[in-house]
Amino acid sequence: MASVRSHDGPGPLRRTGRTIGHALRSPFTGTARGIRKATHAHGAGESGLGKLIELHAVNGAGDVMITVALASTVFFSVPTDQARGRVALYLAVTMAPFILLAPVIGPLLDRLPHGRRAAMAGSMLARALLALTMSGAVATGGLELYPAALGVLVCSKAYGVVRSAVVPRLLPPRFSLVKANSRVTLAGLLATGAAAPIGAGLQTIGPPWPLYGASVIFVGGAVLAFTLPPKVDSAKGERKAHLVHPHDEGAVRPEPLRESATPGSAKKSFRSRGKNGEKRPGLRSVGPSVLHGLQANAAHRALSGFLIFFLAFLLREQPLSGQSAAISLGIVGVAAGAGNALGTAVGSWLRARGPEIIIASVLGLALGVAVLAAAFFSTVMVAALAAMAGFTQALSKLSLDAMIQRDVPEEVRTSAFARSETLLQMAWVAGGAIGISLPLNGVLGMAVAAGILALGAAASVRGLLGAARRGSPHPRVA
């Protein structure tokens, strides 16, 4: 009889329990399957790009947890004057040293081309440990918090540099770099938006809890980094790129120097060659598009850093009309995030059509909105500038990525991404420093924002339009 019952299948209670368990799990498993399907679509799963998209999402979620914890300590928990001093100290201790470290990070990573997965995993593990270190000091805001924050910042930027260098290695067939970067960026934005309220909820339990959450997330990211394909660590065919001005004397020429060159050419030839007489490729040999694109993007990144810090203090002291300080900051943050997401989506749709024209156009568009915000300072104009800054920064960066893919030979492309990202991070630091130092005057701040963009336009727009008329020096290979 017992044998017969064993073949009758589970009893009603067990079947009911399984049904309930399946119903409870299905929203999560279904969501996970949907995310995996989206990240692995169009060959991204086979090439490994899907894994990188997921890794970048984990990175964004961990970073925003730390941001929530630090914001509550150095900004919201103290009076405005004291908060300004703390944030200035945060910039001095964590941002300013990065300006000195930035020129080192790119060349250092060039020397570690075989350890990119380990480098990304290491940056995750280091941030996990630093988050735990900060959890003991975050409630008191002690000075020991700032060296740990420095380490988190440097590890985050190092991860970003390596990630930019890795993307070209994971492109699926017939997949443009601008489309790949838009997917990676959008995943990070979505993860940040999802993790921010979770971090805020953990903050209500206690100041260290967002840091505990960040530590767990980064440990998971370290494991995920090693699931990337082995070709990420391959340095086959790569050489270093050197960012040099178009008129520098010793820059590399597209064609070999002739034997009948002038006496000064011997010096040029020596400078343009490495060991064993090997030519050192540089970005100058591909024309001015990339350099002018970097100048324009530096203006966008400086504007981003400026608005983050200036508006944070301005809106806390002088909230938008009829709104509290928290609601005012929320409006601006949502506007900037929506603009960034829209710019990423538009960049993917454009697929690098005329990137020089796109960069010049969005820079002019952002400048026009900044001028209007200074002339007609209001709630609407501040939100409009935040949204436009997010939109133009995302679209301009994707277009710069497209130009690097098109103009920079594959053997130096990963190095070019490392150096371009380093320069843009330095611009963000400079913009943030300006935002901290300004008086809390809305019209003045918007005028300074317009001035940052005007400098970028003066340095880059003419060169971008000229490069667009002449065409790229290296035709893009499909």
Side-chain angles (χ1 to χ4, degrees):
M1 191 68 166
S3 176
V4 173
R5 286 180 180 176
S6 66
H7 294 286
D8 287 339
L13 291 178
R14 184 176 296 181
R15 286 197 300 268
T16 302
R18 288 181 177 179
T19 301
I20 294 174
H22 177 74
L24 293 175
R25 290 194 307 268
S26 61
F28 300 99
T29 57
T31 301
R33 283 194 297 267
I35 293 173
R36 174 59 62 90
K37 183 178 179 180
T39 58
H40 286 58
H42 304 108
E46 292 78 4
S47 71
L49 181 63
K51 292 285 187 182
L52 183 62
I53 292 173
E54 294 168 356
L55 178 63
H56 191 62
V58 170
N59 177 80
D63 275 347
V64 78
M65 290 281 192
I66 292 180
T67 301
V68 169
L70 290 178
S72 66
T73 301
V74 302
F75 185 69
F76 289 110
S77 62
V78 295
T80 300
D81 291 341
Q82 187 177 352
R84 192 164 189 168
R86 286 192 178 190
V87 173
L89 178 61
Y90 175 79
L91 275 177
V93 174
T94 64
M95 300 295 189
F98 185 72
I99 297 178
L100 301 177
L101 293 171
V104 178
I105 290 177
L108 176 62
L109 293 173
D110 275 337
R111 293 184 174 89
L112 299 173
H114 299 287
R116 292 180 182 133
R117 289 184 298 178
M120 288 189 284
S123 76
M124 297 279 185
L125 285 176
R127 279 179 284 174
L129 294 175
L130 290 168
L132 292 178
T133 301
M134 290 193 299
S135 65
V138 70
T140 62
L143 291 179
E144 64 270 19
L145 179 68
Y146 297 97
L150 167 62
V152 169
L153 176 70
V154 172
C155 289
S156 180
K157 303 312 178 187
Y159 160 83
V161 169
V162 179
R163 190 262 303 169
S164 296
V166 162
V167 171
R169 287 281 175 191
L170 300 178
L171 286 181
R174 298 180 298 279
F175 212 91
S176 67
L177 187 60
V178 64
K179 184 176 181 180
N181 276 286
S182 67
R183 280 198 183 186
V184 174
T185 302
L186 189 58
L189 290 173
L190 293 175
T192 298
I198 297 175
L202 292 174
Q203 182 68 31
T204 61
I205 301 175
W209 279 92
L211 294 169
Y212 296 152
S215 182
V216 172
I217 290 172
F218 284 130
V219 169
V223 175
L224 186 59
F226 284 109
T227 67
L228 292 172
K231 62 184 176 182
V232 167
D233 290 333
S234 172
K236 183 179 180 180
E238 292 184 4
R239 298 167 75 180
K240 297 180 184 178
H242 302 272
L243 288 173
V244 291
H245 192 274
H247 302 294
D248 283 352
E249 178 185 7
V252 180
R253 304 289 182 184
E255 298 294 335
L257 293 174
R258 298 179 180 178
E259 294 182 358
S260 58
T262 59
S265 64
K267 186 177 181 180
K268 295 181 183 180
S269 177
F270 175 77
R271 288 184 177 180
S272 66
R273 295 180 183 274
K275 294 180 179 180
N276 302 321
E278 181 182 343
K279 288 186 68 174
R280 294 190 306 158
L283 292 182
R284 198 188 77 120
S285 62
V286 301
S289 292
V290 172
L291 290 175
H292 291 308
L294 274 171
Q295 291 168 340
N297 273 268
H300 285 293
R301 196 65 67 93
L303 175 68
S304 173
F306 171 79
L307 290 179
I308 286 173
F309 290 100
F310 179 75
L311 290 179
F313 286 107
L314 177 69
L315 297 179
R316 178 175 174 171
E317 190 74 11
Q318 305 169 24
L320 298 176
S321 178
Q323 306 295 336
S324 66
I327 295 298
S328 300
L329 288 169
I331 290 173
V332 172
V334 169
N340 200 311
L342 180 60
T344 301
V346 171
S348 178
W349 174 70
L350 289 173
R351 298 191 180 185
R353 296 186 180 101
E356 291 93 348
I357 300 298
I358 294 173
I359 293 176
S361 298
V362 297
L363 185 57
L365 187 61
L367 176 58
V369 174
V371 170
L372 290 175
F376 307 101
F377 183 78
S378 65
T379 300
V380 173
M381 292 311 303
V382 169
L385 179 58
M388 185 57 64
F391 175 82
T392 55
Q393 177 183 316
L395 191 52
S396 184
K397 179 60 167 65
L398 292 171
S399 298
L400 173 63
D401 291 344
M403 289 195 301
I404 292 176
Q405 182 194 31
R406 182 197 67 193
D407 293 352
V408 178
E410 183 179 0
E411 63 180 2
V412 296
R413 192 178 294 152
T414 54
S415 180
F417 271 110
R419 282 161 172 75
S420 67
E421 186 62 27
T422 298
L423 290 176
L424 294 181
Q425 292 298 342
M426 292 173 64
W428 188 88
V429 170
I434 296 172
I436 285 293
S437 62
L438 275 188
L440 298 181
N441 182 294
V443 175
L444 174 62
M446 299 303 99
V448 170
I452 292 172
L453 293 171
L455 287 175
S460 64
V461 168
R462 183 177 178 182
L464 285 168
L465 296 179
R469 286 193 299 267
R470 291 189 298 270
S472 65
H474 295 278
R476 180 178 172 179
V477 177

